[in-house]
Every structure is written in structure tokens, then in C-alpha cells.
Amino acid sequence: MNDLRLSSVSELEEAAARARGVRDAREAEVLVCAGTGCLANGSAELKDALGEEIQAGGLEAKVEMFVKRTGCHGFCEKGPLVVIRPGGVCYQRVKVTDAKAIVEKTLVGGEVIERLTYKDPNTKERIEKREDIPFYARQKRVALRRSGSVDPTDIEDCLAEGGYRAMAKAFAKMTPDDVIDEVTRSGLRGRGGAGFPAGRKWRACRDAEGEPRHVVCNAGGLAESDPHAVLEGMAIGAYAVGASLGHVFIREEYPLALERVSRAVEQARERGLLGEDILGTGFDFDLRIVLAGGGFVAGESSAVIKSLAGEVGEPRAKYVRSAVMGLNGCPTVLNNVETWANVPLIIERGADAFRGIGTESSPGTKVLALGGRVKNTGIVEVPLGTSLRDIVCGAGGGVSGDRALVGIQIGGPSGGFVPTELLDTELDFDSLAALGSIMGNGGLVVMDDRTCVLDVARYFTHFLAEESCGKCAPCREGVPQLYEMLNEICEGRGEPEDLDKIRSLAEVVARASLCGLGKTAPNPVLTALRHFGDDIRAHIEEKKCPAGVCRALTTFQIDAELCNGCRVCAKNCPMESITGERKETHVINVEICDRCGICRSVCPSDAVVAV
Amino acid sequence: MSETPPDIVEAQEICGRYPAGDAAGLFPALQGLQEALNYVPVTGVKVICEHLGVPLARAFSLATFYKAFSLSPKGKVIIRICTGTACHVRGAQRLIDEMTKELEIAPGETTEDLEFTLETTSCVGACAMAPVVSVGGRYQGPVKPGKLVKAIR
């Protein structure tokens, strides 16, 4: 026993009050984003520099200033990000050399440094506060409620923000059945891709025979920003289904998540929030962390369970669900990290409050990774039911370079394409399914008129062919063959009858594959055919790539009317195939040009055209 | 007596962490070997399998299935080009082409002098920096063509 241990619900409440007291006594807090993106841009050094400036100015003695690292703020495009509380002033692309000015002008002088604030690319106005920036104003942060405001490495900070309060409520005031009923009533659906109702899964596990039971989290990057929300959600789930052991499965591509979850587990154990007799309620629950060996298929639910047992992560046929017979043959609930992070809020505020957000069939919010040709790349959380166009043009800020929006691709590698004319579709599990897509991992890629749908479909199909575990023939043989056929078309060797062949093979793969990977692998190619048929036919019939991406079907030319002779293209050409004097029209030598398209992407006057 | 090769020494040390005859130790033991040597040499895998009492085939089914394991030695500096969606759309392929040309190795291969290993990786979660490359564990991005060659020289 140590003296940090909280042995009752009232001790947890006292500890939370103490932590809030410490936080509230601070004159100011400087929140420095320590997400993967901002760290790579130097935010760790920035945090140190801010700390040194505060000390150098003797501010620690006068007023309490506090610099803390936080989880990802989401607006990775503009990192490193700094937010100053109170007030909520947000600075972006902050450099170490800005630390002095921030301390002297903003912290001491109370003055906003305009050059570091966000400049709206559409209105050219400066925006001082984080909540006023459209990227944030258009979001509804539920699963990410504490991401970007708490220090993910400090349990005190999490307690101050209400961490583990829901767990205490569940253990002390609710029976396991109450918890399952509440989650069922909330309508929470699995955020990992398929959208299976969490309450039903939990109920099936509770009703199944076999001990010990397990809860599993398939974790991704989200776990690094607020690991305690995930731990708390899992503890509540474990209590509901009667599990004593939990497993957090982390992909090796996320070293930061591994580090932070490990630390959070240690801190929670030290505080008695994990382990034996949690908060004196008599409930025992502990967690272990398992580093995933990698691979997309290893994220499939039955494959995760095999991996946890130290076996090859191949899926199995699911005649019996994992909730009934999972890890070591015992009932196992596997939910994704975002699903778990939603659980504490449902318990704390109730199912009705949760249902107040989102749609009837898909309540709550969804975290999306916005990327591709969009102004604001980053992590956003929006209410389900938001239109896809609102996401791209609202939080996303529109297409980069204000080019024409052609469509989006949503759901990760096995998701589907949605064309511009269908972007008023509301984001939810069922409406995406109706378009031939899935919610998947929540990746949303914006495509402009320089993105070739066929190329992206080929890219995803190649990825899935590589990731297929090879256990069942339809997926092992079918997906690489789909890739080959798409590749032929991209390379200019497509024939009109190929499209029917692709459709019929895709149908076999979708219907006959063993697991979700194979069943959804044809989504990219099928949705490309369904919504972008003209573009694909142009590759076959006219041997042209309308977007100017497929190299075999593209030739670049410089439009003499538009070229101002700035030499930018010539300087950037890796093949040295562009000639022309300054202020005179440039020419591309098509004999040397390898059609990489760099000239087109760098030209400031859009003079390079694909023909 | 000849000196025991380092991979055997490492494997023996790892064996000490897991009880003999317990197959559950296989996966973490292989992870330990990979971490220590940057690959899983056949000789070392044999030592581990004998200790844990599992057939060699089971170890190799794991070692060939998971991308985390490599059966051949890796270079001092690992260049990982992210080929996640955001990076693909922003030109990851150009970077792969460039590195393949520069180092004369395909992704997954190591230069003869064991200096560089070229790899591709699925999304590393730093999409705002796309295209992202990690050189020796440090993320860089957005990486412009030409810059990468300079960085590794």
C-alpha cells in the first residue's frame, strides 16, 4: 500500500478537488501541443524554452505560470500549437524563438501577438481565440473532450477535469446490468468501423458462459492524447460484463501511444484506480499492454484476439462471436479506442444526453482524420449527421488552393468514394453504407481535380492485396487480381470489357471472403466505378487521365498565355526537362519529362496543364 | 573454445525472461530479439524455440506474418517512407522512386554496406506533414523531392 492510493469514492472526490485547486490557483496556463505532428515540428523544445523564459523573468515567484504539454489539439496543419489560459488565445506555427515574446508580451503584458494568431484563409481576418477558429467552432468534442487541454502524462490533471468520476459512479451506484442498459439506451455504436451496437455486444458477453472474461481495446493514435479516458471506459466495461483483465492492443506505428498508455496504467495502479478492490468497491480489474506486430488485417476483431494469444493474427470464421467465445475461448468484448473513450461520458451524463447529439440511428459524434487536398489537415470530431460537405468546407476550410472539389474518400483503405453531388449526405453508419462505403477508421480524404480516383482506388487495392493474410482464397487471389486489372487501366492497357470483369470478380471477393478485410476490399474499386465511371472510361476509351496523374496517360505542357517565366518549374524539375529564360515562356521537353507532375504542383500561375 | 556468436548470447539472455516450456513466451521473446538485434536471426530463433519447447515452424509463422519482424539484418539508419493515404495523395511515390534510385535498393532492402534500410510504412498519424519520412526514427515533413537525398548524404 502507498499513500497515493485512493481507497474510496470520497477519497477520489477529495483528490479531484485538490487537483482542481492546484489548477485554479495558477494565474495562467500555457498549453503546448505534444501530439505526433507538433512534436515533429519541435514542440518539446518549445515547451522547454517557454519554461526557461518564465523562470528567467522571475515570473514563477510573482504569479504562478505553468507550461504544460497536452495531447493533440487536432489542428496539426498549423503546428506547433500553443493555447494560453485563461482567455484561450491560440498561437500557431510557434517557433522556439517566439517563446520570449509570448512570455513578455502575452503572459506579462496581456497583449495578443497578432502575427502568431490564426489567419482565416478565406476572409484574411486574424482570429485570436481557439474556439472562434472555424476548424474548432464547427466541431463537437466528446471523445476528444480532454484532448488538447490535459497533460496526458499526468493523472492529476485528468482528475481535475473529472477523470474516473464516471467509473466511481458506475461501481458505487449502478449494477452491471444498469451499466449495460445505459450503454444500450445510449445507442452507442462501435467506432472501429462496422458500427455494431456496443450495448448488445456487452450483453452477449455478460450472458455467455466462461471465465475469466476479457475486455480489449484496439488502440490507435487517439489513446495518446487522453489515455485515462480509455482506461476508465474499459474499467466500466469490465465491471459491466464481469471481466477482471483488460488488454490494450497498440500498433507499433504509434510509439507515443504506447509510451503514454503505459504511463497512464502505472499511474492508475498507483492511485488504486486499477488493480484489486478499486476504490474500496471490491471490484478487481487490471490492464496489460500488448504491442501489435503490425498489419492492417491484425486489426480485425478475431485477428486481434489471436494476436493477444501470441498467435499469427489471422481472422477466423465468426460462427460464434468473440463476445461469446473470444480470448482463450472465454467471453471477450473488443471495442475500439474511440468507443471506449465515449463510455465514461454516457455513464456520467446519461444515455439521453448522449442521444441529444447525432442522429436517431447513429447517436453521438465521430472522430475523423481529415487529409488530402484540404486546407485544414487534422483530427476533427463532429456530430454524426453532419453533412459531408459541411465537414470538408467547415472544419476542413475547403479545398487547398481553392481548386475544384471532386469528391471524398471515406473509411480508410476499404472505404469508398463519394462524389461532389452526393456530399450533402449526412455522416452516419447507415447512409455511408447506402453509398457503398463504410465509416471504417474515420479517414476522410478530400480530392480535387488533380486527384485521380482510379489511381487512389488502385492504391487502396494494392494496400489491401499486400495486407491480405492469405488464409482464404477469394481475398488472397481476388484482391491482387483486382489490383492488376486496375493497374492495366492506369497504365493505358485497359479494354472496355475489363469493367465488367472487375465488377464480377469484386462481387465474388465481397461475398466469399472470410473476414471484414476481404468483404470490404472491393469497396474502393466498386464505388469508383459507381460514382466516377466517366473518369475511368476516359482512361480506357480515350487513353487519358482527366486528373493528369496516371503517368502513362498524361503529357504536360506549358500554356504560353499563362506562363510568366518565373522559372519555378524549371528549378524544381528533377529531370531538368524544362527550358526557358526568365520572364519568357518555358517549354517542357516531353522526351526527357518523366511526368511526375511536380512542375504543375509548384506553378504559381497554373500554366502547366495535363493533356 | 570458440566464442559464442552475439545473436546466440542475446537469445540465451532473452530465454532467461520466460519460463522453459511455456509457449506463451514465444511472441514477446521474438519481439525482444528483434529489438536487440534489429532482426531475428535463424540461429537465435532456434535457441528460443528449444527453450520454450515450440516447433520452429510456429516461430517462423509469426516471424513471416508480422511486419515487425525481419529475417535479414537491417541497416544502421532506417528510412521509412509513409505510404498512408494522405502521404500517397501528396506524392509519397515520388520519394520512393527517388530513394530507390539513390540507394539502388527496393523498399524492404538494405544497402550492402549495412548503412541504410529503405522501408515503407502504413500511416504514422502525422498526416499534416505529408509526405512524411522517418529517418533514423525522426519524423520529417513535408518532404520535398531532392531534400531527402540531401538529408541522408
Side-chain angles (χ1 to χ4, degrees):
Chain A
M1 289 293 146
N2 56 52
D3 45 21
L4 285 174
R5 199 181 154 84
L6 306 170
S7 49
S8 68
V9 173
S10 58
E11 280 187 33
L12 171 69
E13 281 165 4
E14 285 159 22
R18 268 199 308 279
R20 266 196 304 279
V22 169
R23 188 194 60 187
D24 294 346
R26 288 174 193 145
E27 192 90 3
E29 276 190 330
V30 186
L31 313 180
V32 183
C33 178
T36 303
C38 286
L39 281 176
N41 281 321
S43 73
E45 294 79 6
L46 174 64
K47 175 183 176 278
D48 293 344
L50 283 164
E52 279 163 24
E53 287 298 334
I54 287 174
Q55 280 202 326
L59 288 169
E60 292 271 24
K62 279 187 249 158
V63 288
E64 183 135 16
M65 297 286 178
F66 191 73
V67 184
K68 80 179 176 191
R69 100 197 75 188
T70 68
C72 182
H73 294 199
F75 204 1
C76 312
E77 181 83 38
K78 302 289 181 192
L81 296 160
V82 170
V83 170
I84 292 152
R85 285 205 304 211
V89 170
C90 176
Y91 291 149
Q92 46 162 14
R93 299 222 166 117
V94 184
K95 296 189 189 68
V96 169
T97 48
D98 295 323
K100 198 176 169 70
I102 291 175
V103 172
E104 286 176 358
K105 291 202 179 139
T106 310
L107 290 182
V108 179
E111 167 193 339
V112 174
I113 307 168
E114 199 186 91
R115 68 181 171 86
L116 294 175
T117 55
Y118 175 76
K119 187 176 175 186
D120 190 310
N122 299 321
T123 64
K124 311 287 174 212
E125 271 174 39
R126 292 280 178 179
I127 300 175
E128 289 178 7
K129 292 186 178 178
R130 175 158 76 175
E131 69 259 31
D132 297 334
I133 297 173
F135 177 78
Y136 293 103
R138 307 295 281 268
Q139 294 192 46
K140 174 88 192 163
R141 291 164 80 97
V142 175
L144 300 178
R145 59 198 174 277
R146 288 193 297 248
S147 291
S149 60
V150 298
D151 181 344
T153 63
D154 182 7
I155 193 169
E156 289 294 310
D157 210 30
C158 169
L159 292 177
E161 295 273 342
Y164 295 96
R165 206 157 56 193
M167 181 182 89
K169 178 182 173 185
F171 291 5
K173 297 186 184 148
M174 296 167 85
T175 65
D177 282 324
D178 291 344
V179 174
I180 295 180
D181 289 345
E182 199 68 26
V183 172
T184 306
R185 280 207 310 120
S186 77
L188 175 67
R189 296 173 69 171
R191 284 355 186 197
F196 193 82
R200 246 166 69 195
K201 193 186 269 187
W202 292 19
R203 171 60 64 199
C205 178
R206 173 138 198 106
D207 291 346
E209 302 278 326
E211 292 288 340
R213 289 148 200 276
H214 304 269
V215 286
V216 180
C217 172
N218 199 356
L222 192 69
E224 71 192 35
S225 293
D226 188 8
H228 290 289
V230 182
L231 268 47
E232 186 182 0
M234 291 180 76
I236 294 169
Y239 174 74
V241 303
S244 54
L245 189 58
H247 313 257
V248 187
F249 190 73
I250 301 177
R251 271 173 60 190
E252 58 160 5
E253 283 92 347
Y254 294 102
L256 197 60
L258 176 70
E259 182 192 315
R260 292 194 179 154
V261 175
S262 307
R263 189 151 173 178
V265 168
E266 276 169 38
Q267 290 176 342
R269 272 192 201 130
E270 206 173 67
R271 286 315 190 93
L273 297 166
L274 283 177
E276 285 176 14
D277 191 18
I278 298 173
L279 295 176
T281 57
F283 181 66
D284 304 336
F285 176 66
D286 208 350
L287 273 173
R288 72 167 182 141
I289 293 161
V290 180
L291 188 60
F296 186 68
V297 71
E300 195 274 343
S301 63
S302 64
V304 167
I305 285 167
K306 285 222 177 186
S307 292
L308 289 175
E311 291 174 40
V312 167
E314 284 177 351
R316 63 167 176 83
K318 280 179 264 181
Y319 307 115
V320 183
R321 296 211 159 261
S322 308
V324 175
M325 198 186 278
L327 185 58
N328 303 325
C330 295
T332 303
V333 165
L334 184 143
N335 279 128
N336 133 295
V337 59
E338 190 184 335
T339 317
W340 287 122
N342 271 301
V343 168
L345 220 71
I346 292 171
I347 297 303
E348 196 180 325
R349 299 189 193 162
D352 293 331
F354 187 78
R355 290 201 79 97
I357 310 165
T359 65
E360 181 60 31
S361 72
S362 304
T365 57
K366 181 74 191 82
V367 177
L368 300 169
L370 268 180
R373 307 282 194 175
V374 64
K375 279 187 187 141
N376 302 336
T377 299
I379 307 295
V380 300
E381 183 174 0
V382 295
L384 285 157
T386 308
S387 87
L388 296 170
R389 193 182 306 276
D390 267 3
I391 299 167
V392 174
C393 301
V399 182
S400 12
D402 291 318
R403 300 203 63 85
L405 177 63
V406 164
I408 62 155
Q409 196 278 351
I410 188 163
S414 31
F417 296 95
V418 182
T420 318
E421 56 272 23
L422 291 175
L423 286 183
D424 292 319
T425 305
E426 291 184 348
L427 175 81
D428 74 36
F429 292 95
D430 310 309
S431 61
L432 288 182
L435 294 177
S437 186
I438 54 170
M439 190 69 82
N441 65 4
L444 195 162
V445 182
V446 176
M447 303 187 301
D448 66 1
D449 56 355
R450 288 177 177 179
T451 314
C452 173
V453 172
L454 188 62
D455 170 70
V456 179
R458 174 179 66 161
Y459 160 77
F460 284 130
T461 311
H462 182 254
F463 175 82
L464 294 164
E466 294 273 308
E467 295 294 326
S468 170
C469 76
K471 185 170 176 174
C472 74
C475 176
R476 181 186 66 230
E477 305 296 333
V479 182
Q481 195 55 42
L482 283 175
Y483 164 72
E484 287 299 334
M485 292 199 277
L486 292 175
N487 193 44
E488 287 293 296
I489 302 175
C490 288
E491 304 257 330
R493 294 185 293 269
E495 302 287 342
E497 59 270 26
D498 286 354
L499 299 183
D500 280 337
K501 286 186 194 162
I502 289 175
R503 275 195 201 95
S504 79
L505 176 58
E507 197 181 324
V508 173
V509 173
R511 290 174 65 169
S513 292
L514 181 65
C515 82
L517 187 145
K519 286 186 206 299
T520 57
N523 284 346
V525 49
L526 286 176
T527 52
L529 286 171
R530 179 164 156 195
H531 303 300
F532 293 91
D534 290 345
D535 285 357
I536 295 170
R537 276 188 293 277
H539 284 77
I540 298 172
E541 286 155 19
E542 297 158 41
K543 303 292 176 203
K544 288 259 177 286
C545 173
V549 172
C550 297
R551 291 190 188 194
L553 305 177
T554 298
T555 310
F556 288 106
Q557 278 179 3
I558 295 175
D559 185 327
E561 301 267 307
L562 295 171
C563 176
N564 62 8
C566 69
R567 297 217 34 88
V568 169
C569 60
K571 273 186 227 154
N572 280 284
C573 175
M575 306 304 289
E576 296 179 358
S577 67
I578 303 176
T579 50
E581 295 300 315
R582 177 166 289 281
K583 299 199 174 171
E584 281 174 27
T585 304
H586 289 34
V587 178
I588 299 173
N589 182 341
V590 292
E591 299 291 315
I592 311 174
C593 173
D594 83 341
R595 302 169 176 109
C596 67
I598 292 175
C599 50
R600 186 174 65 163
S601 61
V602 296
C603 178
S605 32
D606 277 346
V608 181
V609 288
V611 291
Chain B
M1 225 179 116
S2 64
E3 217 171 280
T4 320
D7 49 332
I8 303 281
V9 175
E10 197 61 54
Q12 282 165 343
E13 198 190 300
I14 289 166
C15 284
R17 299 180 213 159
Y18 306 97
D22 183 2
L26 182 59
F27 194 76
L30 290 177
Q31 277 180 321
L33 196 61
Q34 172 75 35
E35 200 180 301
L37 302 171
N38 239 342
Y39 80 117
V40 285
V42 179
T43 44
V45 176
K46 275 186 184 158
V47 172
I48 288 173
C49 282
E50 276 164 28
H51 175 75
L52 299 174
V54 294
L56 208 51
R58 181 139 173 240
F60 280 102
S61 77
L62 289 174
T64 52
F65 182 83
Y66 289 109
K67 279 195 178 149
F69 300 118
S70 165
L71 290 166
S72 52
K74 288 196 182 178
K76 269 188 225 152
V77 179
I78 298 178
I79 302 165
R80 272 196 193 110
I81 301 177
C82 178
T83 54
T85 316
C87 291
H88 174 77
V89 174
R90 293 202 197 167
Q93 189 56 45
R94 276 181 214 154
L95 301 176
I96 298 172
D97 293 348
E98 192 180 68
M99 277 294 100
T100 306
K101 216 155 126 188
E102 175 69 21
L103 299 171
E104 298 179 346
I105 50 171
E109 292 177 357
T110 300
T111 51
E112 267 180 36
D113 58 6
L114 289 180
E115 279 296 316
F116 297 105
T117 295
L118 181 62
E119 289 181 349
T120 58
T121 170
S122 42
C123 182
V124 296
C127 309
M129 295 161 67
V132 185
V133 177
S134 132
V135 179
R138 212 187 142 80
Y139 291 132
Q140 307 186 358
V143 180
K144 293 208 176 85
K147 221 169 102 185
L148 195 51
V149 174
K150 272 182 216 151
I152 63 159
R153 276 185 191 145

